[in-house]
Amino acid sequence: MHILENNKSKLAIYLINMANAKERKQAMFDKLSDIGLTAERVEAIDGRALTFPIPEFSALSYKLMHGRRTCPPEIGCYLSHVECARRLLQSDAEFALILEDDVVFKQDFMASVEAAIDHRNDWDILRLSTVSNGRKYPFRKLTADRSLSIALTREKGSGAYIVNRKAAKWIAEKLVPMRLAYDIAYDLEYLAGLKSAFIYPLCASQDADNTSSIQDTARAYKLPRWRYVTVLPFRTYLEVTRFLFRGAWLLLGYAGNLVVPRTLPTGTSRSDSFSTSTPHHSVPHEAKAPVHAVVSPGVNPIR
């Protein structure tokens, strides 16, 4: 866990990693070390090891809203992200940086994140990466090169993002049982009155050389064309409401915000404003035993 000295806010860092992906784990620890960070490893849930049905997953809603049969790898990924939100709520941290194990950081990642946390009232979920290429509309200047921005269309991917405790509570309590893929579900924050923003241009990306096994596998679980009878009206509803709600946030936050970029003090490196403190329950990552997630049932996120 790290303390942002500029605003005394605590940031927990969780790395989601499969038990058999040891090389990815080490590569991520090395990349984090290079920018002055350490993370708590959260062992990803292997959906193929689950015995269905489970209360954390609604097979019927998944078919009607997402148009797919039960996809164990996608379910495991979803519940792993929910577990990270639960861990934030069980800690005394104010924010959590949640990472998948194929993320690549830009050189100014730390400076960008620090600047965004200085403007914490502008977001509940801070998106740091995406696998989509939709337009992002800037509304607040962060640094000379990056701004807080809003996407008015769907953005997929959950490789790197930050949540505050309010968003974590929504994810842990309202996004269970699972009814959609995780990157679609947590992109619906506006339906819960939450705010989402990107740091844009992006300060992190997912490694294009590491093809997602979940995305490849999920295609095989698509239902026949009849799925569009229920999926298309639902997606249309989401696209319209997303545009309206986020468009309103953009208009409210735009005026006067693109003014002076935040600059670091002279002679201060990107990671100098982070000091490391190890909580009583933490141990070095090499000594930490694998942690198995436990997820409790929640309620329908879409009302």
Side-chain angles (χ1 to χ4, degrees):
M1 188 175 295
H2 301 270
I3 311 297
L4 280 78
E5 291 183 341
N6 289 343
N7 48 44
K8 306 300 182 184
S9 300
K10 296 182 180 179
L11 175 69
I13 305 173
Y14 301 121
L15 171 64
I16 300 172
N17 172 254
M18 293 291 290
N20 60 356
K22 295 181 180 179
E23 291 185 3
R24 282 194 176 196
K25 178 192 74 173
Q26 189 56 53
M28 278 300 300
F29 279 139
D30 291 343
K31 284 184 279 189
L32 286 165
S33 178
D34 288 342
I35 59 174
L37 298 179
T38 59
E40 177 182 344
R41 176 177 173 268
V42 176
E43 184 168 328
I45 297 172
D46 185 352
R48 294 165 297 185
L50 299 175
T51 301
F52 296 96
I54 58 174
E56 297 87 1
F57 172 70
S58 173
L60 178 60
S61 295
Y62 191 72
K63 286 181 180 179
L64 296 177
M65 298 163 66
H66 196 44
R68 290 178 181 172
R69 298 185 300 274
T70 299
C71 178
E74 199 163 58
I75 296 168
C77 174
Y78 190 107
L79 297 182
S80 300
H81 281 273
V82 172
E83 169 63 11
C84 291
R86 291 173 61 85
R87 292 195 186 195
L88 172 60
L89 296 176
Q90 293 164 2
S91 74
D92 61 353
E94 185 176 354
F95 305 99
L97 167 59
I98 300 173
L99 302 168
E100 295 179 355
D101 62 5
D102 58 350
V103 174
V104 177
F105 303 106
K106 302 297 184 182
Q107 186 176 12
D108 63 341
F109 178 84
M110 293 295 293
S112 300
V113 167
E114 289 179 36
I117 290 181
D118 283 345
H119 297 289
R120 70 192 73 186
N121 292 332
D122 288 332
W123 53 268
D124 298 294
I125 299 175
L126 182 65
R127 304 281 296 271
L128 308 175
S129 69
T130 179
V131 295
S132 301
N133 55 8
R135 183 174 176 181
K136 319 296 188 298
Y137 297 85
F139 67 91
R140 185 181 296 282
K141 197 75 173 175
L142 293 178
T143 68
D145 300 318
R146 307 193 194 279
S147 301
L148 284 179
S149 305
I150 288 179
L152 300 182
T153 55
R154 183 174 68 172
E155 292 285 333
K156 299 179 70 175
S158 53
Y161 61 99
I162 295 175
V163 294
N164 62 18
R165 297 184 69 87
K166 185 178 178 182
K169 190 175 190 295
W170 170 66
I171 292 169
E173 296 181 0
K174 304 299 184 181
L175 293 193
V176 183
M178 172 184 175
R179 298 170 184 270
L180 297 164
Y182 182 74
D183 57 353
I184 297 176
Y186 94 127
D187 196 42
L188 304 180
E189 82 299 322
Y190 55 91
L191 294 178
L194 301 175
K195 294 176 285 186
S196 175
F198 276 89
I199 292 181
Y200 196 80
L202 300 172
C203 60
S205 62
Q206 288 185 274
D207 189 350
D209 293 332
N210 286 328
T211 303
S212 171
S213 59
I214 294 176
Q215 292 178 3
D216 288 345
T217 303
R219 295 187 184 97
Y221 290 87
K222 284 186 177 181
L223 293 169
R225 291 186 180 276
W226 64 258
R227 70 184 184 274
Y228 293 116
V229 173
T230 57
V231 172
L232 279 181
F234 177 64
R235 289 184 179 176
T236 300
Y237 160 73
L238 295 183
E239 293 302 321
V240 171
T241 54
R242 179 186 291 109
F243 181 86
L244 293 176
F245 278 83
R246 290 192 184 161
W249 279 119
L250 182 63
L251 291 176
L252 288 172
Y254 196 91
N257 284 336
L258 295 177
V259 188
V260 182
R262 179 182 184 275
T263 57
L264 292 176
T266 304
T268 302
S269 68
R270 289 185 303 276
S271 59
D272 283 346
S273 62
F274 282 78
S275 61
T276 303
S277 63
T278 304
H280 66 274
H281 57 274
S282 296
V283 296
H285 62 256
E286 292 300 333
K288 185 183 293 291
V291 180
H292 298 275
V294 179
V295 182
S296 299
V299 297
N300 184 359
I302 307 297
R303 296 189 179 277

